Amino acid sequence: MTSPVISIAYHSGFGHTAVLAEAVRAGAADAGAEAHLIKVDGITEEEWAVLDRSDAIVFGSPTYMGTASGAFHVFAEATSKRWFGQDWKDKLAAGFTNSASKSGDKLHTLQFFQTLAAQHGMTWVNLGLHPGWNSSTASENDLNRLGFFSGAAAQSNNDEGPEAVHKADLATAEHLGRRVAETATVFARGRVAA
């Protein structure tokens, strides 16, 4: 059986989300996937073709004004060509986001990704982690320190660059990449068995 193909389709305004995208890619590759980073604000026809042949697409964007960035929304609207043909039906999907605030309405961005995936007939892969950093014995260094279930969420101070993305958030993004790759492998085996 071949390795699953995982594409991370993302936009990054100031570099923080790009660092997270690389962590998702590293996690997927670590789990044996062929993993691709695709910047949606400069997407080429070749990259559209990579998305089309992917087993899973992980959506990523900063959260701006309570939703994904404008550049990501432009990409999402451009996927309508795939929607008409149901080209992405039965692919896996997942998502990640970053904002400066602990909440920052990141859940809305993840729900936007979930709706986009559902419109395409994709199957959503959640984070699969308990929340971290929610007891007196917990730490801000826990996986899923911000307590999201739908996808990976990160918090980066607005006065610091991408090098300051929290290590626990990077580890959570890597976990998401591994989980998507492992789920894609299980789905592929099921298809072969069916």
Side-chain angles (χ1 to χ4, degrees):
M1 185 174 356
T2 60
S3 298
V5 178
I6 312 296
S7 289
I8 299 94
Y10 74 97
H11 173 250
S12 185
F14 298 98
H16 303 87
T17 308
V19 170
L20 291 164
E22 172 54 33
V24 173
R25 188 211 60 77
D30 184 54
E34 175 190 327
H36 302 273
L37 292 174
I38 297 175
K39 294 171 66 174
V40 300
D41 54 337
I43 192 166
T44 65
E45 286 304 316
E46 293 79 17
E47 290 171 323
W48 279 111
V50 170
L51 291 174
D52 292 343
R53 72 176 180 86
S54 294
D55 298 295
I57 302 172
V58 183
F59 302 123
S61 170
T63 295
Y64 293 156
M65 303 306 293
T67 188
S69 65
F72 192 92
H73 276 268
V74 168
F75 162 76
E77 289 181 24
T79 69
S80 64
K81 292 177 184 174
R82 273 77 186 159
W83 176 83
F84 279 109
Q86 293 190 315
D87 299 349
W88 292 357
K89 185 177 180 182
D90 297 328
K91 290 183 185 296
L92 298 178
F96 63 97
T97 189
N98 177 77
S99 71
S101 298
K102 295 283 190 280
S103 170
D105 292 323
K106 287 187 268 285
L107 179 59
H108 186 261
T109 299
L110 293 171
Q111 290 171 330
F112 168 73
F113 294 155
Q114 287 176 311
T115 300
L116 176 63
Q119 289 175 335
H120 281 284
M122 302 169 83
T123 300
W124 189 260
V125 178
N126 60 46
L127 191 55
L129 288 174
H130 284 120
W133 200 20
N134 66 355
S135 71
S136 61
T137 59
S139 160
E140 72 173 298
N141 296 310
D142 292 343
L143 282 178
N144 196 20
R145 72 186 181 110
L146 299 178
F148 284 79
F149 294 95
S150 299
Q155 181 273 327
S156 302
N157 294 330
N158 62 14
D159 60 349
E160 294 182 301
E163 69 284 349
V165 174
H166 200 285
K167 288 183 181 1
D169 295 342
L170 291 173
T172 302
E174 286 178 20
H175 168 84
L176 179 65
R178 277 191 301 278
R179 180 167 167 81
V180 170
E182 290 165 357
T183 303
T185 299
V186 169
F187 268 59
R189 287 181 182 149
R191 283 190 186 108
V192 169

